[in-house]
Amino acid sequence: MAPKADRTPYRLISIPILRQFTSDILEKKMSNFLPNHTLDMIDQATMLHPVSSIEDLHAKGPTLYETAQGVTLRDSNGRDHVDMGAGLWCVNVGYGHDALVEAGTTALKTLSYQHHFGNAAAKDTVRLSERLVQLFHDQAGATHLNRVFYGTSGSDANDTAYKLVRYYNNLRGKTEKKKIISRIGAYHGLTAAATSLTGIDAYHKMFDLPLPDVLHTSCPHFYRYGKAGETEAEFTDRMVADLESLIQREGPETVGAFIVEPVMGTGGVFLPPLGYFEKVQKLLDQHDILLIADEVISGFGRLGHWFATGAFGLKPDIVSLAKGLTSAYFPMSASMISDRIYDVLSAKSAETGVFMHGFTYSGHPVGSAIALANIDVIEKEGLVAKAAANGPYLLKALQDVTSGCPFVGDVRGMGLMIGVEYVADKRTKAECPAGSAPHKIVSKYAFEEGVLPRALPFLPVNSFSPPLNITRAEIDEGVSRFGRALKCAEPELSKALQA
């Protein structure tokens, strides 16, 4: 680990002092505000962080990051970290890429904003739409996806999908066909509708979610949920039977769509079991149920394919995109919409009037320019092929470095999307005791070693999803640091998992 003498401790404040500090801010007692208070104090007094512990923030302060380049982040103490998470699965072309910066700068100077309400349009957004449609035709064989709707995040893309299912079936006169089935362990975002689609209880409690028309079927993670003696093919059949039973129980006439992450990311990097999507697609077609593919993570090369739609031969009616669309240089999402849906919307347009859905920033011209530059970089630098080649290299390196740890049960992945799952006993696959959080323990040591995997919120898994331009030398360095962290963490893991 990095020597503790090299680290500058956070300037922490007690809760009473913090409250007084906050009160001073609210009363505008701001004289000499910045000189007298550090940024971590100001953060604690003014911010509500997303998906963060308020208690931990007040106890430990924030971790401030100041610069980033390529695959490396530098914190406010001057320490460099190999980012094995690409932010939140999103910085696909790496940090600080000149081409994206230049595209955004030019766009800001040329047309800093234009909405798309009332049939208004911006040139770069039109060009991006054409580019996305062509990519899905050429790289995913999805010639039925010919329309694009824009938003600002993966959450609102899935919120759009939720609303489109209702709109489409209302136009068809199938007004009961509104329920959407998701899966336990799925992550689809955090708007009210997207949180409901998410299948992780931690995101539901205290928010009175999920909404009543969202249902969840079994999690198709064979390593954890396969039964003793059950083959992977038999597991697939059981998962599909669970889905069919749920459809029949609710009534096929009430079920409008099934939403899937082709590889389940935040849940724990779960690959689809053998034959899963072929059988699911057949079942959905049988009952006139739409397929929504959430490719917010998997899109734009993450899996070593341009899109999981092509990699798994999916025939989705809606595809949700974000993250890799702009490599997080601009908040933007896109929803690919099938002819099946659009033709109904178009045919009923004169009768129903204006399509009353959209966002202020739908199709933002600056985001569109950055997205076009991002796609250019992915193509010119061959990042999809690099992910396909370096994914197995990273997977094997992680399998090798964790092989001696008695608490690592499974290391799996596809492309540059890999999960390391912890168990209490490798031989029996015994589950970790409640509250033990081994993945968080390891992440703590990993930070000290200068590498950033992500501790996921559903099962005890560290995910690895670095920028697609990571080199093998950077993979070696990141995995080496993670190996040291895992070794340092073993005594604490042993205590937590064998109590």
PDB file of all heavy atoms in Angstrom, residues 100-133:
ATOM      1  N   LEU A 100     -12.757  14.952 -29.098  1.00  0.00           N
ATOM      2  CA  LEU A 100     -14.060  15.244 -28.502  1.00  0.00           C
ATOM      3  C   LEU A 100     -14.097  16.657 -27.927  1.00  0.00           C
ATOM      4  O   LEU A 100     -15.114  17.360 -28.023  1.00  0.00           O
ATOM      5  CB  LEU A 100     -14.405  14.211 -27.428  1.00  0.00           C
ATOM      6  CG  LEU A 100     -15.037  12.911 -27.938  1.00  0.00           C
ATOM      7  CD1 LEU A 100     -14.043  12.100 -28.768  1.00  0.00           C
ATOM      8  CD2 LEU A 100     -15.569  12.075 -26.786  1.00  0.00           C
ATOM      9  N   VAL A 101     -12.982  17.056 -27.316  1.00  0.00           N
ATOM     10  CA  VAL A 101     -12.898  18.419 -26.772  1.00  0.00           C
ATOM     11  C   VAL A 101     -13.047  19.448 -27.895  1.00  0.00           C
ATOM     12  O   VAL A 101     -13.785  20.433 -27.772  1.00  0.00           O
ATOM     13  CB  VAL A 101     -11.569  18.610 -26.030  1.00  0.00           C
ATOM     14  CG1 VAL A 101     -11.401  20.061 -25.583  1.00  0.00           C
ATOM     15  CG2 VAL A 101     -11.486  17.678 -24.815  1.00  0.00           C
ATOM     16  N   GLU A 102     -12.359  19.217 -28.992  1.00  0.00           N
ATOM     17  CA  GLU A 102     -12.420  20.150 -30.121  1.00  0.00           C
ATOM     18  C   GLU A 102     -13.809  20.184 -30.746  1.00  0.00           C
ATOM     19  O   GLU A 102     -14.317  21.259 -31.118  1.00  0.00           O
ATOM     20  CB  GLU A 102     -11.368  19.766 -31.157  1.00  0.00           C
ATOM     21  CG  GLU A 102      -9.940  20.008 -30.682  1.00  0.00           C
ATOM     22  CD  GLU A 102      -8.900  19.357 -31.576  1.00  0.00           C
ATOM     23  OE1 GLU A 102      -9.280  18.819 -32.641  1.00  0.00           O
ATOM     24  OE2 GLU A 102      -7.713  19.375 -31.205  1.00  0.00           O
ATOM     25  N   ALA A 103     -14.437  19.024 -30.864  1.00  0.00           N
ATOM     26  CA  ALA A 103     -15.791  18.975 -31.439  1.00  0.00           C
ATOM     27  C   ALA A 103     -16.774  19.748 -30.567  1.00  0.00           C
ATOM     28  O   ALA A 103     -17.625  20.492 -31.076  1.00  0.00           O
ATOM     29  CB  ALA A 103     -16.240  17.527 -31.592  1.00  0.00           C
ATOM     30  N   GLY A 104     -16.658  19.568 -29.252  1.00  0.00           N
ATOM     31  CA  GLY A 104     -17.542  20.287 -28.337  1.00  0.00           C
ATOM     32  C   GLY A 104     -17.300  21.787 -28.368  1.00  0.00           C
ATOM     33  O   GLY A 104     -18.255  22.583 -28.351  1.00  0.00           O
ATOM     34  N   THR A 105     -16.032  22.185 -28.438  1.00  0.00           N
ATOM     35  CA  THR A 105     -15.695  23.607 -28.479  1.00  0.00           C
ATOM     36  C   THR A 105     -16.253  24.268 -29.732  1.00  0.00           C
ATOM     37  O   THR A 105     -16.866  25.341 -29.673  1.00  0.00           O
ATOM     38  CB  THR A 105     -14.163  23.793 -28.426  1.00  0.00           C
ATOM     39  OG1 THR A 105     -13.660  23.192 -27.222  1.00  0.00           O
ATOM     40  CG2 THR A 105     -13.792  25.263 -28.451  1.00  0.00           C
ATOM     41  N   THR A 106     -16.062  23.623 -30.869  1.00  0.00           N
ATOM     42  CA  THR A 106     -16.580  24.157 -32.127  1.00  0.00           C
ATOM     43  C   THR A 106     -18.099  24.253 -32.100  1.00  0.00           C
ATOM     44  O   THR A 106     -18.694  25.263 -32.532  1.00  0.00           O
ATOM     45  CB  THR A 106     -16.135  23.268 -33.308  1.00  0.00           C
ATOM     46  OG1 THR A 106     -14.706  23.248 -33.360  1.00  0.00           O
ATOM     47  CG2 THR A 106     -16.694  23.781 -34.620  1.00  0.00           C
ATOM     48  N   ALA A 107     -18.750  23.218 -31.576  1.00  0.00           N
ATOM     49  CA  ALA A 107     -20.212  23.205 -31.520  1.00  0.00           C
ATOM     50  C   ALA A 107     -20.746  24.307 -30.609  1.00  0.00           C
ATOM     51  O   ALA A 107     -21.750  24.955 -30.920  1.00  0.00           O
ATOM     52  CB  ALA A 107     -20.702  21.841 -31.048  1.00  0.00           C
ATOM     53  N   LEU A 108     -20.075  24.544 -29.485  1.00  0.00           N
ATOM     54  CA  LEU A 108     -20.508  25.601 -28.569  1.00  0.00           C
ATOM     55  C   LEU A 108     -20.420  26.972 -29.228  1.00  0.00           C
ATOM     56  O   LEU A 108     -21.257  27.849 -28.988  1.00  0.00           O
ATOM     57  CB  LEU A 108     -19.651  25.570 -27.302  1.00  0.00           C
ATOM     58  CG  LEU A 108     -19.989  24.472 -26.289  1.00  0.00           C
ATOM     59  CD1 LEU A 108     -18.870  24.313 -25.277  1.00  0.00           C
ATOM     60  CD2 LEU A 108     -21.303  24.801 -25.584  1.00  0.00           C
ATOM     61  N   LYS A 109     -19.423  27.145 -30.061  1.00  0.00           N
ATOM     62  CA  LYS A 109     -19.263  28.425 -30.749  1.00  0.00           C
ATOM     63  C   LYS A 109     -20.246  28.577 -31.912  1.00  0.00           C
ATOM     64  O   LYS A 109     -20.657  29.685 -32.251  1.00  0.00           O
ATOM     65  CB  LYS A 109     -17.834  28.563 -31.279  1.00  0.00           C
ATOM     66  CG  LYS A 109     -16.781  28.724 -30.190  1.00  0.00           C
ATOM     67  CD  LYS A 109     -15.381  28.806 -30.795  1.00  0.00           C
ATOM     68  CE  LYS A 109     -14.314  29.002 -29.725  1.00  0.00           C
ATOM     69  NZ  LYS A 109     -12.951  29.037 -30.307  1.00  0.00           N
ATOM     70  N   THR A 110     -20.629  27.455 -32.528  1.00  0.00           N
ATOM     71  CA  THR A 110     -21.455  27.492 -33.730  1.00  0.00           C
ATOM     72  C   THR A 110     -22.947  27.544 -33.420  1.00  0.00           C
ATOM     73  O   THR A 110     -23.679  28.398 -33.941  1.00  0.00           O
ATOM     74  CB  THR A 110     -21.161  26.252 -34.607  1.00  0.00           C
ATOM     75  OG1 THR A 110     -19.765  26.198 -34.878  1.00  0.00           O
ATOM     76  CG2 THR A 110     -21.945  26.306 -35.911  1.00  0.00           C
ATOM     77  N   LEU A 111     -23.421  26.607 -32.609  1.00  0.00           N
ATOM     78  CA  LEU A 111     -24.840  26.537 -32.231  1.00  0.00           C
ATOM     79  C   LEU A 111     -24.897  25.940 -30.831  1.00  0.00           C
ATOM     80  O   LEU A 111     -24.956  24.723 -30.664  1.00  0.00           O
ATOM     81  CB  LEU A 111     -25.621  25.668 -33.235  1.00  0.00           C
ATOM     82  CG  LEU A 111     -27.135  25.544 -33.006  1.00  0.00           C
ATOM     83  CD1 LEU A 111     -27.825  26.897 -33.148  1.00  0.00           C
ATOM     84  CD2 LEU A 111     -27.742  24.535 -33.971  1.00  0.00           C
ATOM     85  N   SER A 112     -24.855  26.798 -29.836  1.00  0.00           N
ATOM     86  CA  SER A 112     -24.718  26.324 -28.452  1.00  0.00           C
ATOM     87  C   SER A 112     -25.962  25.615 -27.941  1.00  0.00           C
ATOM     88  O   SER A 112     -25.889  24.828 -26.995  1.00  0.00           O
ATOM     89  CB  SER A 112     -24.376  27.490 -27.522  1.00  0.00           C
ATOM     90  OG  SER A 112     -25.402  28.479 -27.576  1.00  0.00           O
ATOM     91  N   TYR A 113     -27.116  25.872 -28.564  1.00  0.00           N
ATOM     92  CA  TYR A 113     -28.341  25.179 -28.163  1.00  0.00           C
ATOM     93  C   TYR A 113     -29.391  25.297 -29.267  1.00  0.00           C
ATOM     94  O   TYR A 113     -29.487  26.326 -29.942  1.00  0.00           O
ATOM     95  CB  TYR A 113     -28.920  25.767 -26.874  1.00  0.00           C
ATOM     96  CG  TYR A 113     -30.285  25.188 -26.549  1.00  0.00           C
ATOM     97  CD1 TYR A 113     -30.402  23.871 -26.102  1.00  0.00           C
ATOM     98  CD2 TYR A 113     -31.451  25.916 -26.755  1.00  0.00           C
ATOM     99  CE1 TYR A 113     -31.649  23.306 -25.852  1.00  0.00           C
ATOM    100  CE2 TYR A 113     -32.703  25.365 -26.501  1.00  0.00           C
ATOM    101  CZ  TYR A 113     -32.793  24.062 -26.058  1.00  0.00           C
ATOM    102  OH  TYR A 113     -34.012  23.488 -25.809  1.00  0.00           O
ATOM    103  N   GLN A 114     -30.129  24.246 -29.447  1.00  0.00           N
ATOM    104  CA  GLN A 114     -31.331  24.269 -30.271  1.00  0.00           C
ATOM    105  C   GLN A 114     -32.226  23.124 -29.825  1.00  0.00           C
ATOM    106  O   GLN A 114     -31.802  21.977 -29.780  1.00  0.00           O
ATOM    107  CB  GLN A 114     -31.015  24.119 -31.760  1.00  0.00           C
ATOM    108  CG  GLN A 114     -32.240  24.004 -32.654  1.00  0.00           C
ATOM    109  CD  GLN A 114     -33.187  25.181 -32.491  1.00  0.00           C
ATOM    110  OE1 GLN A 114     -32.778  26.336 -32.611  1.00  0.00           O
ATOM    111  NE2 GLN A 114     -34.461  24.910 -32.195  1.00  0.00           N
ATOM    112  N   HIS A 115     -33.464  23.458 -29.481  1.00  0.00           N
ATOM    113  CA  HIS A 115     -34.415  22.399 -29.127  1.00  0.00           C
ATOM    114  C   HIS A 115     -34.922  21.739 -30.401  1.00  0.00           C
ATOM    115  O   HIS A 115     -34.656  22.197 -31.516  1.00  0.00           O
ATOM    116  CB  HIS A 115     -35.573  22.973 -28.310  1.00  0.00           C
ATOM    117  CG  HIS A 115     -36.441  23.918 -29.082  1.00  0.00           C
ATOM    118  ND1 HIS A 115     -37.396  23.494 -29.982  1.00  0.00           N
ATOM    119  CD2 HIS A 115     -36.493  25.279 -29.106  1.00  0.00           C
ATOM    120  CE1 HIS A 115     -38.015  24.516 -30.516  1.00  0.00           C
ATOM    121  NE2 HIS A 115     -37.484  25.630 -30.003  1.00  0.00           N
ATOM    122  N   HIS A 116     -35.653  20.622 -30.204  1.00  0.00           N
ATOM    123  CA  HIS A 116     -36.217  19.911 -31.357  1.00  0.00           C
ATOM    124  C   HIS A 116     -37.737  19.813 -31.282  1.00  0.00           C
ATOM    125  O   HIS A 116     -38.350  18.992 -31.967  1.00  0.00           O
ATOM    126  CB  HIS A 116     -35.576  18.523 -31.469  1.00  0.00           C
ATOM    127  CG  HIS A 116     -34.178  18.578 -32.010  1.00  0.00           C
ATOM    128  ND1 HIS A 116     -33.128  19.098 -31.291  1.00  0.00           N
ATOM    129  CD2 HIS A 116     -33.668  18.206 -33.203  1.00  0.00           C
ATOM    130  CE1 HIS A 116     -32.027  19.038 -32.021  1.00  0.00           C
ATOM    131  NE2 HIS A 116     -32.322  18.502 -33.183  1.00  0.00           N
ATOM    132  N   PHE A 117     -38.347  20.653 -30.450  1.00  0.00           N
ATOM    133  CA  PHE A 117     -39.807  20.705 -30.373  1.00  0.00           C
ATOM    134  C   PHE A 117     -40.356  21.337 -31.657  1.00  0.00           C
ATOM    135  O   PHE A 117     -39.687  22.116 -32.329  1.00  0.00           O
ATOM    136  CB  PHE A 117     -40.245  21.544 -29.179  1.00  0.00           C
ATOM    137  CG  PHE A 117     -40.083  20.857 -27.837  1.00  0.00           C
ATOM    138  CD1 PHE A 117     -39.054  19.969 -27.590  1.00  0.00           C
ATOM    139  CD2 PHE A 117     -40.976  21.119 -26.812  1.00  0.00           C
ATOM    140  CE1 PHE A 117     -38.903  19.353 -26.359  1.00  0.00           C
ATOM    141  CE2 PHE A 117     -40.839  20.512 -25.574  1.00  0.00           C
ATOM    142  CZ  PHE A 117     -39.798  19.623 -25.344  1.00  0.00           C
ATOM    143  N   GLY A 118     -41.596  21.027 -31.960  1.00  0.00           N
ATOM    144  CA  GLY A 118     -42.279  21.663 -33.077  1.00  0.00           C
ATOM    145  C   GLY A 118     -41.576  21.466 -34.407  1.00  0.00           C
ATOM    146  O   GLY A 118     -41.610  22.325 -35.287  1.00  0.00           O
ATOM    147  N   ASN A 119     -40.906  20.305 -34.552  1.00  0.00           N
ATOM    148  CA  ASN A 119     -40.204  19.946 -35.792  1.00  0.00           C
ATOM    149  C   ASN A 119     -38.966  20.794 -36.084  1.00  0.00           C
ATOM    150  O   ASN A 119     -38.459  20.792 -37.205  1.00  0.00           O
ATOM    151  CB  ASN A 119     -41.145  19.968 -37.001  1.00  0.00           C
ATOM    152  CG  ASN A 119     -42.271  18.956 -36.874  1.00  0.00           C
ATOM    153  OD1 ASN A 119     -42.117  17.933 -36.197  1.00  0.00           O
ATOM    154  ND2 ASN A 119     -43.401  19.232 -37.493  1.00  0.00           N
ATOM    155  N   ALA A 120     -38.468  21.533 -35.088  1.00  0.00           N
ATOM    156  CA  ALA A 120     -37.183  22.213 -35.240  1.00  0.00           C
ATOM    157  C   ALA A 120     -36.082  21.161 -35.277  1.00  0.00           C
ATOM    158  O   ALA A 120     -36.255  20.035 -34.779  1.00  0.00           O
ATOM    159  CB  ALA A 120     -36.954  23.183 -34.088  1.00  0.00           C
ATOM    160  N   ALA A 121     -34.938  21.500 -35.856  1.00  0.00           N
ATOM    161  CA  ALA A 121     -33.856  20.522 -35.989  1.00  0.00           C
ATOM    162  C   ALA A 121     -32.503  21.219 -36.010  1.00  0.00           C
ATOM    163  O   ALA A 121     -32.402  22.413 -36.305  1.00  0.00           O
ATOM    164  CB  ALA A 121     -34.031  19.698 -37.262  1.00  0.00           C
ATOM    165  N   ALA A 122     -31.464  20.462 -35.683  1.00  0.00           N
ATOM    166  CA  ALA A 122     -30.081  20.924 -35.760  1.00  0.00           C
ATOM    167  C   ALA A 122     -29.307  19.947 -36.637  1.00  0.00           C
ATOM    168  O   ALA A 122     -29.515  18.729 -36.556  1.00  0.00           O
ATOM    169  CB  ALA A 122     -29.464  21.013 -34.372  1.00  0.00           C
ATOM    170  N   LYS A 123     -28.391  20.471 -37.447  1.00  0.00           N
ATOM    171  CA  LYS A 123     -27.707  19.648 -38.443  1.00  0.00           C
ATOM    172  C   LYS A 123     -26.979  18.461 -37.830  1.00  0.00           C
ATOM    173  O   LYS A 123     -27.080  17.328 -38.331  1.00  0.00           O
ATOM    174  CB  LYS A 123     -26.716  20.514 -39.231  1.00  0.00           C
ATOM    175  CG  LYS A 123     -27.366  21.495 -40.188  1.00  0.00           C
ATOM    176  CD  LYS A 123     -26.309  22.278 -40.959  1.00  0.00           C
ATOM    177  CE  LYS A 123     -26.955  23.255 -41.936  1.00  0.00           C
ATOM    178  NZ  LYS A 123     -25.919  24.028 -42.678  1.00  0.00           N
ATOM    179  N   ASP A 124     -26.194  18.686 -36.774  1.00  0.00           N
ATOM    180  CA  ASP A 124     -25.407  17.587 -36.206  1.00  0.00           C
ATOM    181  C   ASP A 124     -26.301  16.498 -35.631  1.00  0.00           C
ATOM    182  O   ASP A 124     -25.932  15.316 -35.650  1.00  0.00           O
ATOM    183  CB  ASP A 124     -24.440  18.110 -35.142  1.00  0.00           C
ATOM    184  CG  ASP A 124     -23.189  18.731 -35.752  1.00  0.00           C
ATOM    185  OD1 ASP A 124     -22.873  18.408 -36.912  1.00  0.00           O
ATOM    186  OD2 ASP A 124     -22.535  19.539 -35.064  1.00  0.00           O
ATOM    187  N   THR A 125     -27.467  16.873 -35.121  1.00  0.00           N
ATOM    188  CA  THR A 125     -28.381  15.870 -34.577  1.00  0.00           C
ATOM    189  C   THR A 125     -28.983  15.019 -35.692  1.00  0.00           C
ATOM    190  O   THR A 125     -29.155  13.802 -35.544  1.00  0.00           O
ATOM    191  CB  THR A 125     -29.479  16.547 -33.745  1.00  0.00           C
ATOM    192  OG1 THR A 125     -28.879  17.435 -32.803  1.00  0.00           O
ATOM    193  CG2 THR A 125     -30.288  15.507 -32.981  1.00  0.00           C
ATOM    194  N   VAL A 126     -29.278  15.656 -36.807  1.00  0.00           N
ATOM    195  CA  VAL A 126     -29.761  14.902 -37.966  1.00  0.00           C
ATOM    196  C   VAL A 126     -28.678  13.941 -38.453  1.00  0.00           C
ATOM    197  O   VAL A 126     -28.945  12.755 -38.737  1.00  0.00           O
ATOM    198  CB  VAL A 126     -30.177  15.865 -39.101  1.00  0.00           C
ATOM    199  CG1 VAL A 126     -30.564  15.069 -40.356  1.00  0.00           C
ATOM    200  CG2 VAL A 126     -31.344  16.745 -38.650  1.00  0.00           C
ATOM    201  N   ARG A 127     -27.438  14.424 -38.532  1.00  0.00           N
ATOM    202  CA  ARG A 127     -26.327  13.572 -38.974  1.00  0.00           C
ATOM    203  C   ARG A 127     -26.096  12.413 -37.996  1.00  0.00           C
ATOM    204  O   ARG A 127     -25.801  11.288 -38.416  1.00  0.00           O
ATOM    205  CB  ARG A 127     -25.053  14.405 -39.105  1.00  0.00           C
ATOM    206  CG  ARG A 127     -25.109  15.435 -40.233  1.00  0.00           C
ATOM    207  CD  ARG A 127     -23.748  16.080 -40.444  1.00  0.00           C
ATOM    208  NE  ARG A 127     -23.796  17.087 -41.493  1.00  0.00           N
ATOM    209  CZ  ARG A 127     -23.755  18.396 -41.274  1.00  0.00           C
ATOM    210  NH1 ARG A 127     -23.665  18.856 -40.030  1.00  0.00           N
ATOM    211  NH2 ARG A 127     -23.801  19.253 -42.277  1.00  0.00           N
ATOM    212  N   LEU A 128     -26.224  12.700 -36.705  1.00  0.00           N
ATOM    213  CA  LEU A 128     -26.038  11.644 -35.709  1.00  0.00           C
ATOM    214  C   LEU A 128     -27.118  10.577 -35.848  1.00  0.00           C
ATOM    215  O   LEU A 128     -26.846   9.379 -35.750  1.00  0.00           O
ATOM    216  CB  LEU A 128     -26.058  12.237 -34.300  1.00  0.00           C
ATOM    217  CG  LEU A 128     -25.954  11.230 -33.154  1.00  0.00           C
ATOM    218  CD1 LEU A 128     -24.649  10.428 -33.215  1.00  0.00           C
ATOM    219  CD2 LEU A 128     -26.066  11.945 -31.798  1.00  0.00           C
ATOM    220  N   SER A 129     -28.346  10.992 -36.086  1.00  0.00           N
ATOM    221  CA  SER A 129     -29.441  10.029 -36.241  1.00  0.00           C
ATOM    222  C   SER A 129     -29.162   9.087 -37.409  1.00  0.00           C
ATOM    223  O   SER A 129     -29.337   7.863 -37.292  1.00  0.00           O
ATOM    224  CB  SER A 129     -30.761  10.778 -36.470  1.00  0.00           C
ATOM    225  OG  SER A 129     -31.029  11.645 -35.393  1.00  0.00           O
ATOM    226  N   GLU A 130     -28.736   9.659 -38.516  1.00  0.00           N
ATOM    227  CA  GLU A 130     -28.397   8.832 -39.681  1.00  0.00           C
ATOM    228  C   GLU A 130     -27.267   7.863 -39.334  1.00  0.00           C
ATOM    229  O   GLU A 130     -27.294   6.680 -39.719  1.00  0.00           O
ATOM    230  CB  GLU A 130     -27.977   9.733 -40.838  1.00  0.00           C
ATOM    231  CG  GLU A 130     -27.569   8.963 -42.087  1.00  0.00           C
ATOM    232  CD  GLU A 130     -27.010   9.875 -43.167  1.00  0.00           C
ATOM    233  OE1 GLU A 130     -26.325  10.862 -42.828  1.00  0.00           O
ATOM    234  OE2 GLU A 130     -27.249   9.591 -44.352  1.00  0.00           O
ATOM    235  N   ARG A 131     -26.274   8.357 -38.600  1.00  0.00           N
ATOM    236  CA  ARG A 131     -25.111   7.530 -38.246  1.00  0.00           C
ATOM    237  C   ARG A 131     -25.518   6.370 -37.345  1.00  0.00           C
ATOM    238  O   ARG A 131     -25.069   5.229 -37.530  1.00  0.00           O
ATOM    239  CB  ARG A 131     -24.083   8.422 -37.540  1.00  0.00           C
ATOM    240  CG  ARG A 131     -22.704   7.828 -37.367  1.00  0.00           C
ATOM    241  CD  ARG A 131     -21.850   8.006 -38.611  1.00  0.00           C
ATOM    242  NE  ARG A 131     -20.472   7.611 -38.388  1.00  0.00           N
ATOM    243  CZ  ARG A 131     -19.509   8.434 -37.957  1.00  0.00           C
ATOM    244  NH1 ARG A 131     -19.788   9.707 -37.698  1.00  0.00           N
ATOM    245  NH2 ARG A 131     -18.276   7.997 -37.805  1.00  0.00           N
ATOM    246  N   LEU A 132     -26.364   6.636 -36.385  1.00  0.00           N
ATOM    247  CA  LEU A 132     -26.786   5.581 -35.461  1.00  0.00           C
ATOM    248  C   LEU A 132     -27.616   4.514 -36.174  1.00  0.00           C
ATOM    249  O   LEU A 132     -27.417   3.308 -35.959  1.00  0.00           O
ATOM    250  CB  LEU A 132     -27.585   6.184 -34.297  1.00  0.00           C
ATOM    251  CG  LEU A 132     -26.796   7.021 -33.300  1.00  0.00           C
ATOM    252  CD1 LEU A 132     -27.720   7.686 -32.284  1.00  0.00           C
ATOM    253  CD2 LEU A 132     -25.743   6.178 -32.577  1.00  0.00           C
ATOM    254  N   VAL A 133     -28.538   4.946 -37.008  1.00  0.00           N
ATOM    255  CA  VAL A 133     -29.337   3.989 -37.766  1.00  0.00           C
ATOM    256  C   VAL A 133     -28.430   3.117 -38.625  1.00  0.00           C
ATOM    257  O   VAL A 133     -28.580   1.882 -38.676  1.00  0.00           O
ATOM    258  CB  VAL A 133     -30.387   4.726 -38.624  1.00  0.00           C
ATOM    259  CG1 VAL A 133     -31.011   3.776 -39.654  1.00  0.00           C
ATOM    260  CG2 VAL A 133     -31.471   5.330 -37.732  1.00  0.00           C
TER     261      VAL A 133
END
